Amino acid sequence: MAKSNGASGEKNRLEVLKTYKIYIGGQFPRTESGRYYTPEVAGRPLGNICWSSRKDVRNAVVAARGAQAGWWTRTAYNRGQILYRIAEILEGRRDQFVTELQLQGLTKAAARKQVSQSVDRIIYYAGWCDKYQQVFSSVNPVSASYFNFSVLEPMGVVFVVASEESPLLGLVSLLAPIIAGGNTCIVLASESKPLSSITFGEVLATSDVPGGVVNILTGLRSELVEHFSRHLDINAIAIDSPSEPMLLSIQEFAAENVKRIRHYSVDWKNPDSENPYLIQDFCEVKTTWHPIEQISVSGSGY
Amino acid sequence: MSESQATWDLAPAPESIGHVHWEKSYGLFINGQFQPSSGDQTFGSINPATEERIAEITEATDADVDQAVKAARNAYEKVWSKMAARERGKYIFRIARLLQEKAREFAVIESLDGGKPIRESRDIDIPLAAAHFFYHAGWADKLEYAFPNRKPKSLGVAGQVIPWNFPLLMAAWKIAPALATGNTVVLKPAETTSLTALKLAEIFQQAELPPGVVNIVTGHGSVGAAIVNHNNVNKIAFTGSTRVGKIIQKAIAGSKKRCTLELGGKAANIIFDDATIDQAVEGIINGIYFNQGHVCCAGSRLFVQESVHDEVIHKLKHRMNSLIVGDPLDKNTDIGAINSKDQLQTINQYIELGKQEGADFYQPQCNLPAKGNWCRPTLFTDVAQSNRIVQEEIFGPVLAVQTFRTVDEVINKANNTPYGLSAGVWTDKGSKIFNMTSQLRAGVIWANTYNKFDPASPFGGYKESGFGREGGLHGLAGYLDF
Amino acid sequence: MSALKSNFRANSPTVDQVGVVERVNRFATRSIKNEAKLKGLKMVLNMIDLTTLEGMDTEGKVKQLCYKARHLHDAVDGIPCVAAVCVYPNFVGLAKASLAQSGINVASVATAFPSGNSSLDIKLTDVKMAVDQGADEIDMVISRGRLHRGDYQYVYDEIAAVKEACGSARLKTILETGELGTLDNVRLASDIAIAAGADFIKTSTGKIQPAATLPVTLVMLEAIRDHHVKTGQMIGMKPAGGISKAKLALHYLIMVKETLGVQWLNNKWFRFGASSLANDVLMQIVKQQSGAYQSPDYFSID
């Protein structure tokens, strides 16, 4: 950042405040509703945060659907490199994230640890991009003359209700495996601690992730539950630590188009919370059959 | 040289039923014994080919279901979960063998009760059911190898509700993996086809399977609902319509029950101009007329590339004329009886609808028996993607044919459905096959074949065709916790 | 030349062997009972080309064979005679005389049978010799080596030349499918033979294994069907070698009926090339009529 060479010294300089916007299709629009809310931590307001509407959900789903086929048809190696690039950019902006996490109530040590773990988690999944298929695919020995194999494919568009309490690590812990598996997603950020998620959007925007692969909304969960749960163009929902009533209503609404629901109540600081099964959780198994010709010089099958 | 123009029609070749035994009436199979219901309702099982009532089946009450779940829970806690996995597997092997020994009897009863041709029940349903038990038996003591770095644990009691199109095969699809993974079972067969599930209960007795490990409760939809809603059931496995699947998903919302759903479909079967046309025509026939079209993965939407449309339709009609419709017990029957009067009515409504929608209608003029539920193989050409006969699952021998010109066009049309169970693609070009199979959004893709099933091959859908897989390594996960 | 060469291949449909076998298995599950069986068995007898093609053939052997052809089993009434007797060219005159007024045709192999490795002149001389002695039918072999080399035009021209040499005799073209290697080649050779003017296509010489099989025959029947649909012209089919059981022969007839139709179910359009099939069929006919299983001891072998 270029420092000002003007007359006013650092001491008297007026700080430039950041406007937190949502992230849809690679752009940073304000919510179409024009609404905002002002979450507070320890009595101190975090800022004017976009209070996203159902139409923002709709727009984000359109962006995610539009990006999905292209994201999945990239090579696994390329997806791995892009995830790695996210980690690189995040590492480079450590200080900003540490500051924001502190604003959201963490101690400096805890904030630094959360940023480090988040970077490492993304790298963990970056490495899985071109490997999970080998672990989870199978060649199936069917009892007839067919080659039969099962592979994983992404479910498609996943709506993520991110961790309320772990605004950065919780977010990347679900987001990384979901996009590693070739899905695109819409993330509803922590309602009370939304700052790091929007700043993370800025990381994504500068790290080769195609627009629409990840979309980040801020707002009130209670208002949006019905809209994302009933949306017919969402294939799956991932929810971090839902309350019982919230889970109930998501699951009920989700039946409308037989959505896949995954919910997690885990401590993302725990190293066991990262594993490739989280990638598999958002994949379909596709099985393909093809005949094997049985002709040999001995004339069998002929 | 003589050039006779005589016909050569096949004489009747009925499968013998002299050696086949089933009871006049069946109770509920709970805790290893057949027992009466706490209520007094029974209903008849009807042979759809003759409309004869061939057995009395018991309608289970909520109390009966509760008793069955208790028996399953008790067997789970005291016996099945404590047993060495290898011993568990040996019971399942036993079941597979006993089923093979009685295969012909099961085949005849399956055809009598459900209307499917004996050729299919004898050559497909029953051998595959036995194969499912045999395949899964071996998994019982090897589960940790299927899930690297994890510790698989059984769930408890599995409640399973199955349809009438493959009565014994679906029972095997459900029961075999549940037992292999260490769970116990309460299973409800469909009300029109309970007999082979109850005969299977006799095999469990003969195999000395511990009482309560599998319980079979018969009856209508309310019995299924009682299982789904029972608090002491840990897992629901359902195969049936998408409509009921959604009701189940909603019903268990907020509970800790695990669930796999195998629901409806409206599969695209795609014929390119470079396909092996004669084999593709056979694939179309197998795709839609197998089991009277009562198949969730039936290839009911046929897409033919325009340049070969006339040839394919000509050959298809020719082949349809060699299909024999009639007595399910005749060894030469290709298409048996429609499973129930209700289903026949549904199919006939769709056929009328197809005509109203302006599609070209074709049926071969084969003879039909005077009594029973019959439907000739049916072909609609000149249909549009927007026709209801193209969009809705008919579950009968009715094929709707559309044409296409390019790969992109046919992929878009094939994926343009809320379903995603299966698809077929026919082309002699390898690279085109891999393009198609990777772009079609469906759980099972048959390339240059159709309607093949195997216990080692995972089966299940995308989108509204359900979730979870059955069969193969991937089918085990639905019955395990980690 | 090269344009024609590629056209033969390009115009010939490809075949999936696994699909063919599955279709064939369904013919084999057809159950043929009672009156249908009796009628079928009598059809089979009437379609047989009773054959002797040995280096050690003698006049005595040929005479015996011709007698058998006229009197398959005199102990039972209503037994039809065979369609033809098939011999080497040097026995045609004798066979013709032995079968006078019987209505039974004389067929002769020709064109350097069985390998077909000779010059066109010699092959045509071979054909003319058989025709001059009165052969009603000529069973030629195609040049398989030329086919494997891709010299389709040669194969075509040779068949056309032989057809011309046949005059009024009907030409059966032996593809020797056991040497063709793939079902695609079986289909290609069928199409070339039909285009070149063959009246019949025939699977095998009987000297090479595998000889006639259900899958190979189905592929050839499909070639005949496609030609009939295009031109309205009927072509005959003759599986030869390896068919010695009545049950198998009936499955061939089922296949012909379901693939081509009943108008092919007579000896103008369908033949079995066989030496030992007739007696098994006879045993089945007698069993059908008497109810008792039969012994070969009661049926004359020649």
Side-chain angles (χ1 to χ4, degrees):
Chain A
M1 288 287 185
K3 291 267 167 69
S4 165
N5 291 324
S8 58
E10 190 66 28
K11 213 175 180 179
N12 302 320
R13 183 178 172 277
L14 181 66
E15 187 189 359
V16 178
L17 294 177
K18 176 172 174 181
T19 307
Y20 288 93
K21 298 198 283 187
I22 55 180
Y23 181 52
I24 296 177
Q27 308 290 317
F28 290 92
R30 290 196 171 86
T31 167
E32 65 78 38
S33 67
R35 304 175 301 178
Y36 65 91
Y37 73 110
T38 315
E40 295 182 353
V41 171
R44 192 175 153 213
L46 290 177
N48 297 323
I49 304 299
C50 285
W51 178 356
S52 299
S53 69
R54 55 188 291 185
K55 288 187 179 170
D56 294 316
V57 171
R58 179 199 64 187
N59 294 343
V61 171
V62 169
R65 178 61 68 193
Q68 201 271 324
W71 178 238
W72 170 236
T73 48
R74 282 168 183 262
T75 65
Y77 175 49
N78 184 242
R79 281 203 309 280
Q81 286 185 305
I82 291 174
L83 259 75
Y84 188 82
R85 181 75 179 152
I86 299 172
E88 284 179 345
I89 305 288
L90 182 58
E91 180 81 34
R93 293 173 68 161
R94 293 184 60 90
D95 291 350
Q96 184 182 4
F97 280 94
V98 169
T99 306
E100 282 179 352
L101 286 170
Q102 285 180 273
L103 281 174
Q104 293 174 129
L106 265 66
T107 64
K108 186 161 192 178
R112 291 171 81 146
K113 189 169 182 205
Q114 179 156 155
V115 176
S116 299
Q117 276 199 299
S118 299
V119 172
D120 292 352
R121 187 136 303 165
I122 294 168
I123 287 173
Y124 175 78
Y125 286 108
W128 267 117
C129 285
D130 52 5
K131 295 167 194 71
Y132 73 89
Q133 187 74 269
Q134 290 174 302
V135 174
F136 294 128
S137 294
S138 63
V139 172
N140 310 309
V142 295
S143 304
S145 189
Y146 291 91
F147 189 70
N148 177 296
F149 60 98
S150 299
V151 296
L152 298 194
E153 284 192 350
M155 286 177 173
V157 172
V158 182
F159 195 94
V160 184
V161 182
S163 169
E164 187 60 36
E165 295 309 319
S166 176
L168 182 64
L169 179 61
L171 180 122
V172 302
S173 293
L174 275 179
L175 185 147
I178 285 169
I179 64 172
N183 298 283
T184 55
C185 62
I186 303 101
V187 181
L188 183 56
S190 168
E191 186 174 315
S192 58
K193 305 179 178 67
L195 302 188
S196 345
S197 58
I198 293 303
T199 307
F200 187 70
E202 292 159 18
V203 169
L204 296 170
T206 52
S207 58
D208 306 336
V209 181
V213 170
V214 180
N215 305 275
I216 300 172
L217 303 178
T218 50
L220 274 51
R221 292 175 177 207
S222 56
E223 179 192 324
L224 294 176
V225 159
E226 179 178 348
H227 303 303
F228 67 74
S229 304
R230 291 186 61 192
H231 197 303
L232 295 181
D233 210 25
I234 291 173
N235 301 98
I237 300 176
I239 322 150
D240 193 319
S241 310
S243 67
E244 277 187 25
M246 183 184 179
L247 184 59
L248 172 67
S249 54
I250 289 176
Q251 287 179 326
E252 280 186 346
F253 287 130
E256 220 159 290
N257 68 333
V258 197
K259 279 187 194 70
R260 289 83 171 116
I261 306 296
R262 306 277 185 264
H263 56 96
Y264 305 89
S265 298
V266 296
D267 180 357
W268 298 113
K269 296 195 287 295
N270 186 338
D272 290 348
S273 70
E274 60 182 20
N275 62 68
Y277 291 99
L278 276 164
I279 303 174
Q280 193 184 31
D281 280 352
F282 298 93
C283 289
E284 299 284 354
V285 176
K286 175 183 273 183
T287 300
T288 303
W289 294 69
H290 196 280
I292 303 171
E293 190 170 77
Q294 298 268 327
I295 287 180
S296 66
V297 283
S298 66
S300 63
Y302 176 93
Chain B
M1 296 293 101
S2 59
E3 189 174 0
S4 70
Q5 287 297 332
T7 56
W8 185 46
D9 292 324
L10 296 176
E15 177 70 41
S16 146
I17 63 168
H19 60 289
V20 175
H21 176 78
W22 72 94
E23 305 294 338
K24 291 262 183 316
S25 70
Y26 280 95
L28 308 168
F29 184 70
I30 296 175
N31 210 28
Q33 299 294 327
F34 285 98
Q35 61 172 60
S37 164
S38 64
D40 55 4
Q41 300 266 321
T42 64
F43 58 97
S45 204
I46 309 292
N47 176 342
T50 62
E51 302 177 46
E52 284 166 350
R53 212 171 160 106
I54 53 174
E56 280 305 297
I57 309 292
T58 301
E59 179 81 24
T61 62
D62 287 4
D64 297 327
V65 169
D66 184 54
Q67 201 194 347
V69 172
K70 282 200 175 96
R73 172 66 56 194
N74 193 47
Y76 177 71
E77 282 170 3
K78 301 213 168 99
V79 184
W80 201 240
S81 65
K82 296 219 160 62
M83 189 183 290
R86 181 159 306 181
E87 299 304 304
R88 222 167 56 215
K90 281 159 68 182
Y91 277 106
I92 307 169
F93 277 125
R94 257 195 197 186
I95 294 165
R97 272 291 192 257
L98 288 167
L99 194 50
Q100 287 172 333
E101 287 163 13
K102 297 186 172 187
R104 192 55 61 92
E105 184 176 52
F106 271 85
V108 170
I109 295 174
E110 198 75 310
S111 285
L112 277 171
D113 198 25
K116 67 173 61 202
I118 187 75
R119 183 188 69 80
E120 290 177 7
S121 48
R122 180 195 65 206
D123 295 348
I124 300 166
D125 290 62
I126 311 302
L128 255 184
H132 267 270
F133 281 108
F134 204 93
Y135 174 81
H136 283 96
W139 268 124
D141 58 352
K142 303 168 188 71
L143 295 171
E144 56 271 36
Y145 295 97
F147 305 97
N149 220 18
R150 288 184 129 180
K151 288 189 182 64
K153 295 184 291 286
S154 57
L155 301 173
V157 176
Q160 306 179 324
V161 180
I162 59 172
W164 44 259
N165 56 345
F166 295 94
L168 182 76
L169 182 57
M170 286 300 114
W173 276 38
K174 295 280 184 283
I175 294 171
L179 297 189
T181 48
N183 301 281
T184 58
V185 169
V186 177
L187 174 121
K188 185 195 95 70
E191 64 270 18
T192 60
T193 53
S194 309
L195 281 184
T196 45
L198 294 162
K199 285 290 289 184
L200 184 61
E202 293 173 8
I203 280 187
F204 296 148
Q205 288 179 321
Q206 204 181 347
E208 297 170 326
L209 188 70
V213 170
V214 179
N215 305 273
I216 296 174
V217 288
T218 46
H220 291 74
S222 59
V223 182
I227 295 172
V228 167
N229 293 320
H230 198 289
N231 285 332
N232 214 356
V233 168
N234 304 90
K235 149 95 188 179
I236 302 297
F238 172 76
T239 296
S241 70
T242 292
R243 186 185 65 81
V244 175
K246 288 176 180 178
I247 293 171
I248 290 174
Q249 192 180 1
K250 203 165 181 180
I252 62 171
S255 76
K256 294 205 161 31
K257 284 172 195 157
R258 296 272 300 274
C259 184
T260 47
L261 299 174
E262 203 273 272
L263 309 177
K266 190 77 189 179
N269 197 5
I270 300 165
I271 319 290
F272 283 98
D273 59 4
D274 58 357
T276 58
I277 298 290
D278 289 304
Q279 286 75 61
V281 166
E282 197 57 22
I284 297 167
I285 295 283
N286 284 332
I288 186 62
Y289 302 128
F290 172 57
N291 200 34
Q292 296 74 249
H294 303 327
V295 185
C296 47
C297 51
S300 50
R301 287 187 297 150
L302 180 67
F303 290 94
V304 184
Q305 197 155 20
E306 275 190 22
S307 52
V308 289
H309 174 264
D310 293 352
E311 182 188 359
V312 168
I313 298 303
H314 183 273
K315 289 187 168 183
L316 188 56
K317 286 179 176 173
H318 179 271
R319 177 71 176 100
M320 286 168 76
N321 276 285
S322 64
L323 293 172
I324 300 171
V325 184
D327 180 9
L329 283 183
D330 191 302
K331 292 172 200 164
N332 290 319
T333 293
D334 297 305
I335 298 181
I338 300 300
N339 185 264
S340 65
K341 273 257 171 300
D342 284 354
Q343 187 58 29
L344 180 61
Q345 205 182 348
T346 304
I347 295 167
N348 285 335
Q349 281 166 358
Y350 273 109
I351 290 177
E352 279 313 304
L353 181 66
K355 291 176 181 169
Q356 283 166 26
E357 287 180 323
D360 282 344
F361 163 84
Y362 177 80
Q363 282 183 339
Q365 285 313 304
C366 50
N367 296 324
L368 299 180
K371 220 174 173 199
N373 310 329
W374 312 101
C375 181
R376 293 190 174 92
T378 304
L379 181 66
F380 280 111
T381 48
D382 201 16
V383 302
Q385 182 86 355
S386 55
N387 288 167
R388 276 180 63 199
I389 56 165
V390 171
Q391 295 180 331
E392 297 175 18
E393 186 178 35
I394 300 174
F395 226 63
V398 181
L399 180 64
V401 188
Q402 296 178 76
T403 58
F404 70 94
R405 293 150 298 172
T406 66
V407 168
D408 283 349
E409 178 188 3
V410 76
I411 287 171
N412 285 334
K413 281 185 174 168
N415 287 339
N416 177 214
T417 164
Y419 295 115
L421 186 53
S422 60
V425 54
W426 297 80
T427 163
D428 224 19
K429 188 170 180 183
S431 57
K432 198 193 290 176
I433 287 175
F434 283 109
N435 181 30
M436 294 298 295
T437 57
S438 58
Q439 292 206 57
L440 289 166
R441 300 284 294 156
V444 182
I445 312 282
W446 287 292
N448 291 326
T449 186
Y450 207 94
N451 267 350
K452 293 288 178 297
F453 309 94
D454 195 279
S457 175
F459 186 91
Y462 287 23
K463 301 198 285 186
E464 290 200 16
S465 290
F467 47 67
R469 292 293 175 269
E470 293 186 300
L473 184 152
H474 297 88
L476 300 169
Y479 286 97
L480 292 166
D481 251 338
F482 302 100
Chain C
M1 166 85 190
S2 71
L4 279 169
K5 172 175 162 176
S6 59
N7 274 345
F8 279 116
R9 179 63 81 179
N11 292 336
S12 211
T14 52
V15 182
D16 178 60
Q17 177 262 346
V18 175
V20 167
V21 168
E22 280 175 6
R23 179 71 186 108
V24 158
N25 288 343
R26 285 198 64 174
F27 298 125
T29 61
R30 288 290 193 219
S31 179
I32 305 143
K33 299 274 183 220
N34 304 324
E35 65 276 11
K37 184 170 183 183
L38 195 58
K39 190 170 179 184
L41 290 170
K42 287 184 175 175
M43 270 195 284
V44 171
L45 280 184
N46 194 230
M47 290 168 169
I48 290 176
D49 283 3
L50 209 55
T51 302
T52 185
L53 295 171
E54 304 293 333
M56 60 179 180
D57 281 347
T58 59
E59 293 188 350
K61 164 79 188 178
V62 171
K63 271 188 196 163
Q64 282 185 25
L65 192 75
C66 291
Y67 190 84
K68 171 81 176 174
R70 301 177 77 145
H71 308 276
L72 278 174
H73 194 63
D74 289 345
V76 175
D77 287 339
I79 299 290
C81 60
V82 298
V85 164
C86 183
V87 294
Y88 270 113
N90 50 327
F91 295 110
V92 166
L94 173 63
K96 196 68 194 169
S98 307
L99 293 169
Q101 266 103 57
S102 67
I104 298 170
N105 281 354
V106 173
S108 175
V109 296
T111 69
F113 182 92
S115 77
N117 280 328
S118 192
S119 71
L120 180 60
D121 282 351
I122 286 174
K123 291 182 186 182
L124 293 178
T125 306
D126 204 14
V127 171
K128 282 192 182 104
M129 172 189 167
V131 171
D132 289 348
Q133 290 193 46
D136 304 291
E137 303 167 5
I138 297 297
D139 291 24
M140 74 169 286
V141 291
I142 66 163
S143 294
R144 285 86 77 189
R146 294 283 189 155
L147 190 95
H148 279 296
R149 268 175 48 188
D151 203 349
Y152 309 130
Q153 190 63 44
Y154 182 91
V155 176
Y156 173 95
D157 291 342
E158 191 178 60
I159 297 168
V162 171
K163 168 69 183 171
E164 202 183 339
C166 282
S168 62
R170 295 178 84 202
L171 173 64
K172 306 199 199 91
T173 304
I174 302 172
L175 311 182
E176 195 64 303
T177 53
E179 290 187 340
L180 296 185
T182 65
L183 291 180
D184 291 328
N185 278 344
V186 171
R187 174 65 197 235
L188 172 65
S190 302
D191 288 347
I192 292 173
I194 291 170
D199 299 298
F200 261 79
I201 49 176
K202 175 176 170 184
T203 58
S204 321
T205 60
K207 306 296 179 194
I208 293 287
Q209 288 301 323
T213 64
L214 287 164
V216 155
T217 306
L218 177 60
V219 171
M220 294 168 71
L221 292 175
E222 283 167 350
I224 292 171
R225 182 178 66 186
D226 289 351
H227 180 72
H228 183 245
V229 169
K230 263 189 218 123
T231 66
Q233 186 195 9
M234 289 170 78
I235 302 291
M237 174 70 207
K238 178 179 173 184
I243 306 164
S244 57
K245 295 294 174 205
K247 190 175 178 183
L248 179 58
L250 289 175
H251 287 144
Y252 272 91
L253 294 193
I254 288 286
M255 182 160 72
V256 172
K257 182 192 170 205
E258 293 193 14
T259 310
L260 296 176
V262 285
Q263 67 269 40
W264 262 267
L265 283 183
N266 55 65
N267 65 16
K268 185 172 179 195
W269 300 114
F270 193 77
R271 297 283 179 84
F272 290 103
S275 49
S276 60
L277 172 64
N279 272 7
D280 196 61
V281 175
L282 286 167
M283 288 206 295
Q284 297 302 320
I285 288 175
V286 177
K287 188 260 156 187
Q288 245 354 72
Q289 290 175 339
S290 70
Y293 289 107
Q294 300 295 303
S295 155
D297 288 355
Y298 297 82
F299 298 84
S300 68
I301 52 172
D302 255 347

